């Protein structure tokens, strides 16, 4: 007997789409999920003694990803950038909800999108517990929820003068990958393109930095912009060592050293963790991060003097949707 999708001339409705592509029973069995999708709300039971960390992120076509990007990569990316905020708090990811707006019915695209989204759910231990599908400009809003012990959350406000500044992974790959896409590169095994379209949320790194890092943020708007957020929240300044910036693989070859360093400073979309910690904790942190395949590179220190020094005449701000405003 033919299924709903096989009936000529009939498009599935919103609830059929949700049931077909976004309800996964294996994810619905996650511990702490009392009632999953199918009712008006999901019912969740956080672990005793934990604070709930919640963040939301919206990805819009041709703003955050190209319209012609592979659908499964769009699904991965939409969840990854939201999970990155949990990583920066040192939270363990638990659940997410997702609202998808699509301009027209395209089941092949939706199926591939859901595959990419669910694959990262599985890799990250996250359950999709609700959401919505509607017609409109292609955009995806993902709300993530995680848990963190009350005294373990990594905040932006804990930095101390004298702390070393460090990052996980490499920088500049987000902008480098965007430029590669704009130049016609389509191989998602290309290092820069992978960094841009398939970022890896540093969830394990965030957990490893608990008790060691004094403050943390994820590098989404650019290193300088996000370091500025840390400095303002902590009431400190920063001294950067430009030559220590870990540049993404292939970035210098693609752009040249000066442009590669600028991409690392201001490009954004890297989703690495930027954090401060005392010098005495660096070796322990590096060992913990290595256990999950993450790296730690010291790029400077926090100081008592306000402002960020060590980047020459660099005055280009990081990414802002509304450049005239403040963030």
């Amino acid at each position: 007997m033919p299924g709903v999708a096989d009936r000529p001339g009939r498009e599935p409705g919103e609830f059929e789409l949700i049931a077909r592509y976004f309800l996964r029973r294996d994810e619905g069995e996650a511990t702490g999920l009392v009632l999953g999708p199918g009712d008006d709300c999901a019912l969740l039971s956080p672990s005793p003694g934990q604070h709930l960390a919640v963040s939301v992120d919206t990805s819009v076509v041709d703003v955050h990803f190209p319209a012609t990007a592979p659908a499964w990569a769009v699904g991965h990316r939409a969840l990854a950038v939201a999970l990155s905020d949990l990583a920066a708090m040192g939270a363990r990811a638990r659940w997410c909800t997702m609202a998808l707006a699509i301009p027209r019915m395209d089941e092949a695209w939706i199926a591939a999108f859901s595959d990419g989204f669910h694959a990262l759910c599985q890799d990250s231990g996250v359950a999709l517990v609700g959401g919505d599908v509607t017609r409109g400009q292609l955009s995806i809003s993902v709300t993530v929820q995680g848990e963190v012990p009350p005294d373990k959350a990594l905040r932006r406000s804990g930095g101390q003068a004298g702390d070393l500044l460090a990052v996980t992974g490499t920088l500049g790959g987000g902008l480098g990958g965007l430029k590669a896409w704009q130049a016609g590169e389509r191989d998602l095994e290309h290092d820069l393109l992978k960094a841009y379209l398939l970022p890896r949320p540093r969830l394990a790194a965030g957990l490893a930095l608990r008790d060691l890092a004094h403050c943390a943020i994820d590098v989404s708007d650019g290193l300088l912009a996000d370091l500025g957020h840390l400095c303002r929240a902590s009431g400190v300044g920063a001294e950067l060592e430009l030559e220590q910036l870990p540049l993404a693989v292939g970035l210098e070859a693609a752009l040249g050293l000066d442009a590669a360093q600028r991409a690392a400073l201001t490009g954004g979309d890297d989703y690495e963790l930027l954090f401060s910690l005392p010098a005495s904790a660096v070796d322990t942190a590096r060992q913990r991060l290595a256990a999950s395949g993450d790296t730690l590179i010291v790029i400077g220190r926090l100081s008592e003097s306000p402002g960020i020094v060590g980047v020459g005449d660099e005055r280009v701000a990081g990414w802002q949707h509304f450049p005239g405003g403040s963030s």
Side-chain angles (χ1 to χ4, degrees):
M1 179 178 179
V4 171
D6 300 319
R7 299 174 189 170
R10 186 185 189 281
E11 292 183 349
E14 171 191 352
F15 301 110
E16 292 173 84
L17 279 179
I18 292 171
R20 187 175 301 165
Y21 297 109
F22 299 110
L23 292 185
R24 299 286 175 96
R25 298 304 174 191
D26 52 340
E27 291 172 5
E29 295 170 0
T31 302
L33 179 60
V34 178
L35 179 65
D39 216 306
D40 289 297
C41 295
L43 297 180
L44 309 175
S45 180
S47 302
Q50 298 285 308
H51 280 173
L52 195 61
V54 181
S55 184
V56 62
D57 203 283
T58 298
S59 297
V60 179
V61 66
D62 286 331
V63 176
H64 301 97
F65 61 90
T68 52
W72 63 272
V74 175
H76 170 103
R77 193 180 191 283
L79 178 58
V81 301
L83 289 174
S84 185
D85 287 327
L86 293 184
M89 293 293 293
R92 181 167 70 97
R94 298 295 307 276
W95 309 287
C96 68
T97 59
M98 186 267 294
L100 172 65
I102 49 176
R104 68 190 65 84
M105 178 58 60
D106 185 342
E107 281 201 76
W109 190 95
I110 294 169
F113 170 89
S114 70
D115 285 345
F117 192 97
H118 284 296
L120 185 56
C121 280
Q122 185 172 4
D123 289 346
S124 304
V126 177
L128 177 62
V129 298
D132 185 42
V133 176
T134 189
R135 188 182 300 274
Q137 180 187 20
L138 179 59
S139 66
I140 311 103
S141 291
V142 180
T143 299
V144 290
Q145 301 94 25
E147 294 177 337
V148 61
D151 57 343
K152 304 296 184 183
L154 299 175
R155 303 169 186 250
R156 299 181 181 185
S157 58
Q160 302 174 19
D163 280 357
L164 296 182
L165 274 172
V167 292
T168 59
T170 61
L171 301 171
L175 181 59
L178 173 60
K179 289 183 177 295
W181 180 274
Q182 291 170 339
E185 180 62 60
R186 294 295 183 268
D187 181 5
L188 290 192
E189 291 304 313
H190 186 283
D191 288 316
L192 294 177
L193 207 55
K194 185 184 296 185
Y196 169 52
L197 287 178
L198 299 172
R200 175 187 166 200
R202 302 294 182 177
L203 291 165
L207 296 177
L209 291 170
R210 286 181 184 176
D211 300 317
L212 297 176
H214 286 160
C215 65
I217 191 172
D218 71 321
V219 182
S220 56
D221 297 328
L223 180 69
L224 286 183
D226 292 316
L227 176 55
H229 298 327
L230 280 187
C231 289
R232 284 189 291 274
S234 295
V236 296
E239 301 169 359
L240 283 180
E241 299 176 20
L242 191 61
E243 68 279 3
Q244 297 302 316
L245 296 182
L247 302 180
V249 175
L251 188 65
E252 184 176 349
L255 304 181
L257 179 58
D258 288 345
Q261 289 178 332
R262 181 181 290 262
L265 288 170
T266 65
D269 267 348
D270 288 321
Y271 303 102
E272 298 293 349
L273 300 187
L274 169 66
F275 53 97
S276 82
L277 73 175
S280 59
V282 168
D283 288 343
T284 300
R286 186 172 280 127
Q287 292 171 4
R288 288 188 186 179
L289 291 174
S292 59
D294 295 304
T295 59
L296 181 157
I297 302 296
V298 175
I299 61 170
R301 66 180 62 247
L302 296 182
S303 64
E304 293 182 357
S305 301
I308 300 172
V309 300
V311 291
D313 295 328
E314 181 63 69
R315 291 293 183 270
V316 180
W319 170 256
Q320 296 185 54
H321 286 279
F322 305 100
S326 59
S327 57

